[in-house]
Amino acid sequence: MMRPLNSTAWAALALLAVAAAPVTPGAPPPGAASGAAGAGLRLEVDERGKLSRSIAAVTSDGAAGGKLTVHKPAGATVRRAFMAIASTGYTGTPLTDPITVDGKQVAMMNEVATGIGSYNYFTEITDLVRTKIDKAPAGGVSFVVAEPQPDLVDGEIVVVILNDPAVRADRSVSILYGATGPAGDEYQVSLAAPIDKSDPDTRLELSLGISYSFQSGGARQDSTVEVDGKRLTGTAGGADDGAPHDGALITAGGEGDSADHELYDLKPFVADGDRSIAVRTANPSHDDNLLLATLTTSPPVTGVTTGSGTGTAYVGVGDSATTGFSIPACQEDRVAAAYGCVGDPPVMPYPERIAKADGRYADEHRAVIWGYTLHEAVADANAGSNAKGSWTPQLLQAEHATRLVTVSLGAEDMRWSDVTYWFAQCAAFASASSGAEPSCQDVARKRAESMRPEVRAMMSRLDVAKRNGATVAIVQYYNPYNTSDCTPLSAIEQIVTGQLNRVLGEEAAKHGFLVVPPAPKFAGHGAGAKDSYVFGSDCDVAGVPSAAAFNLGWPPSFDTPTGRAFDPYPNDKGAQAQADQILGRLHAGVDK
């Protein structure tokens, strides 16, 4: 049996490849073919506060390593630090021997394959650099970055996020990482407040990190960038932070690089009053690797959505249960925030977990909105725009999916979390210990049936994705209450979710869509269980009838514009349970 080659052996082969390569660095070797395009950049880091940041790139041409310099403002301290690593194009092997920073090894994490026969990596290095930077005086702080096989690695990019006492207004530093598709990727950035370009604290800055690009002697290996439809640059790329040969082609927009063209001020390209920015990148030469984008903004970023809506492999469509927010964590604002909530969600929602767990779905666009109803989804798709916010309607996004669509809609139409409403409908049962009164079942059935025309309209739009070759998975709803500890609540909710799931299942079957019931995963893990999968937890049934009749706020709940609501949304374990159930159904052979 042939033994697999280690990184040292690959380094020797890389030297032969370099010798046989064309004279122009950063170009495909003769006969080389690009693989599948990269899956695009994904938001990996989003820090907010009185922050500054330092970005620098380096390459290593020898065992001694290269010098990377971080710029520290007076009094600043490290909040977090990250390193992105790009292997050399067309060498065709993952890295196994770790990069070192001042002799300390960097874990090779978050491996992403590019479309040019190389691999990218992204790792937090806070613990490797914090002490040295925090103890240093203001100014440049240098590190030695060494590559065990320099010919296999184009270079490294470091982003250090600093708590900075000189910064007066809140900023966000958002890092997107991955491997862009050469045909183009799009990013919608939502802001916490309208842009005011006259405000001296306003900062709208974009830094790009690019490898395997060369711009000299007539070579034009460029990436283009557009902001809100206006051309920002047509010449992103080059080896500004490296050297003019394969294995050293690296550039990143940062401080102290007079020749750097990858650090951009976005203010001239946006308008006062805007609360979102659209950024689009493309690489016409189809052989560069755009692996990193860092946004430093004030007003701070509240959300970043990725994907152009064309050719997206996986589109996640959904309501509150797919945002990752709990009721108290969500500050609702559909205009400012793509997901309908300003702030950071306490958990990663299931579409992101699916994208991370299975590479087939890594090219993911999550089109979800807190409180979004099925009625709104259909109306917005028919109108061609959202009634609130500048975001493309969910069902129109889904029509572009090529691999997978997951859909979680309908619970908000059923007033799923409205405890007061359902106690009023089922009051006779709430005070009894045996089966539900027929009136409770009738109300739930009638409400679910009233949704059927819009369920059908939604399914018809999802047929477009199916014709693209995508699997359409209709995700049903779980009972958020634990059976043994919350018997009245659980029984009522079983009726509500049962009627909703019945209609969703019946209509999905007519279209040949996959139906995913998360209820089996949640059984025994609802509110009241020691190991709850939802944010709501208290199920003390004492005083239920009077609390329901007089709106006394039982169970522990939260005021909303329409009344009181229990918090049935999935916590971290719940979101993982949803992802596991969906992936289990897909891996069972249903997916293509």
Side-chain angles (χ1 to χ4, degrees):
M1 180 181 295
M2 182 178 292
R3 297 179 61 187
L5 298 178
N6 59 24
S7 291
T8 302
W10 276 111
L13 291 180
L15 288 171
L16 295 176
V18 169
V23 174
T24 303
S34 296
L41 303 186
R42 295 167 53 83
L43 181 64
E44 294 288 347
V45 178
D46 191 21
E47 292 291 325
R48 179 171 176 170
K50 305 297 191 295
L51 303 176
S52 59
R53 95 289 168 278
S54 180
I55 303 172
V58 68
T59 193
S60 171
D61 269 343
K67 186 172 77 170
L68 179 141
T69 301
V70 172
H71 291 265
K72 174 186 175 178
T77 57
V78 174
R79 177 179 287 194
R80 301 180 76 185
F82 301 87
M83 174 180 281
I85 303 164
S87 75
T88 305
Y90 300 98
T91 50
T93 180
L95 301 179
T96 57
D97 297 338
I99 306 301
T100 61
V101 176
D102 282 357
K104 302 171 186 174
Q105 293 186 351
V106 175
M108 309 298 288
M109 300 179 66
N110 298 298
E111 180 180 279
V112 172
T114 73
I116 59 169
S118 64
Y119 294 84
N120 298 331
Y121 301 85
F122 185 78
T123 303
E124 183 162 3
I125 60 167
T126 305
D127 291 342
L128 301 185
V129 303
R130 185 200 300 275
T131 300
K132 187 173 183 177
I133 295 174
D134 285 355
K135 289 183 177 180
V141 185
S142 295
F143 297 85
V144 174
V145 177
E147 302 162 0
Q149 292 85 34
D151 295 294
L152 276 181
V153 186
D154 263 333
E156 298 75 34
I157 303 166
V158 168
V159 181
V160 179
I161 304 172
L162 301 132
N163 297 306
D164 190 341
V167 175
R168 299 181 302 175
D170 268 7
R171 294 175 181 168
S172 59
V173 179
S174 308
I175 305 175
L176 291 83
Y177 158 77
T180 57
D185 288 295
E186 191 168 296
Y187 313 95
Q188 291 279 344
V189 181
S190 54
L191 303 173
I195 294 171
D196 179 2
K197 293 193 282 187
S198 66
D199 184 343
D201 290 323
T202 296
R203 184 169 184 174
L204 302 171
E205 179 186 85
L206 170 67
S207 166
L208 297 179
I210 303 172
S211 76
Y212 208 66
S213 174
F214 182 70
Q215 300 171 345
S216 183
R220 300 306 309 166
Q221 297 170 17
D222 302 321
S223 289
T224 63
V225 183
E226 294 180 353
V227 175
D228 287 350
K230 308 177 191 72
R231 177 60 62 90
L232 174 65
T233 181
T235 59
D240 302 331
D241 297 295
H245 61 80
D246 289 355
L249 303 177
I250 193 74
T251 185
E255 298 83 6
D257 299 324
S258 60
D260 228 333
H261 300 291
E262 285 66 57
L263 183 62
Y264 309 103
D265 181 5
L266 306 185
K267 284 191 289 186
F269 300 87
V270 299
D272 281 328
D274 286 352
R275 295 190 68 167
S276 65
I277 305 172
V279 179
R280 181 173 177 80
T281 64
N283 175 227
S285 63
H286 284 211
D287 57 5
D288 294 0
N289 173 37
L290 200 164
L291 70 156
L292 205 69
T294 303
L295 289 154
T296 306
T297 70
S298 182
V301 164
T302 58
V304 178
T305 59
T306 61
S308 63
T310 57
T312 302
Y314 169 27
V315 177
V317 171
D319 55 19
S320 306
T322 53
T323 63
F325 282 91
S326 63
I327 289 179
C330 177
Q331 178 186 336
E332 289 193 61
D333 189 337
R334 291 190 188 177
V335 175
Y339 304 139
C341 298
V342 175
D344 296 323
V347 303
M348 179 191 297
Y350 79 71
E352 314 257 300
R353 294 170 189 256
I354 291 171
K356 284 181 174 290
D358 191 321
R360 293 176 298 173
Y361 315 125
D363 179 16
E364 175 237 0
H365 180 85
R366 184 160 58 97
V368 304
I369 300 176
W370 179 270
Y372 207 52
T373 63
L374 174 62
H375 172 77
E376 289 177 301
V378 172
D380 287 348
N382 291 341
S385 61
N386 276 354
K388 298 179 180 179
S390 59
W391 326 109
T392 301
Q394 294 187 16
L395 296 179
L396 298 187
Q397 291 279 8
E399 290 179 357
H400 296 287
T402 59
R403 170 60 68 176
L404 174 66
V405 178
T406 56
V407 183
S408 294
L409 283 172
E412 303 296 338
D413 302 75
M414 289 291 289
R415 300 179 70 169
W416 185 43
S417 64
D418 193 335
V419 175
T420 304
Y421 173 81
W422 284 109
F423 270 138
Q425 301 302 319
C426 306
F429 173 63
S431 60
S433 58
S434 59
E437 294 293 320
S439 60
C440 185
Q441 186 76 257
D442 291 345
V443 170
R445 177 181 288 275
K446 182 177 180 180
R447 193 168 188 89
E449 287 298 331
S450 72
M451 295 166 52
R452 194 181 289 271
E454 287 172 333
V455 172
R456 289 172 174 165
M458 174 182 73
M459 301 286 184
S460 295
R461 287 196 174 272
L462 295 173
D463 278 333
V464 178
K466 185 180 179 183
R467 289 195 292 270
N468 295 343
T471 295
V472 178
I474 304 300
V475 183
Q476 295 178 318
Y477 284 85
Y478 54 86
N479 187 336
Y481 299 104
N482 201 37
T483 305
S484 60
D485 302 283
C486 311
T487 302
L489 290 168
S490 179
I492 293 172
E493 196 63 45
Q494 195 66 27
I495 293 171
V496 175
T497 58
Q499 291 298 331
L500 171 60
N501 290 341
R502 177 182 60 82
V503 171
L504 291 174
E506 289 172 356
E507 294 301 324
K510 296 175 184 177
H511 295 257
F513 296 159
L514 176 65
V515 177
V516 181
K521 289 282 187 181
F522 279 76
H525 298 286
K530 292 181 179 179
D531 188 23
S532 177
Y533 284 4
V534 300
F535 286 110
S537 60
D538 197 319
C539 281
D540 182 3
V541 296
V544 172
S546 60
F550 299 103
N551 193 21
L552 299 180
W554 184 95
S557 54
F558 305 93
D559 288 314
T560 71
T562 57
R564 284 202 167 250
F566 175 70
D567 199 338
Y569 302 112
N571 59 21
D572 186 71
K573 291 181 179 180
Q576 189 60 51
Q578 290 174 303
D580 290 344
Q581 187 76 346
I582 296 166
L583 286 167
R585 295 282 285 147
L586 293 172
H587 293 165
V590 183
D591 188 31
K592 299 174 178 61

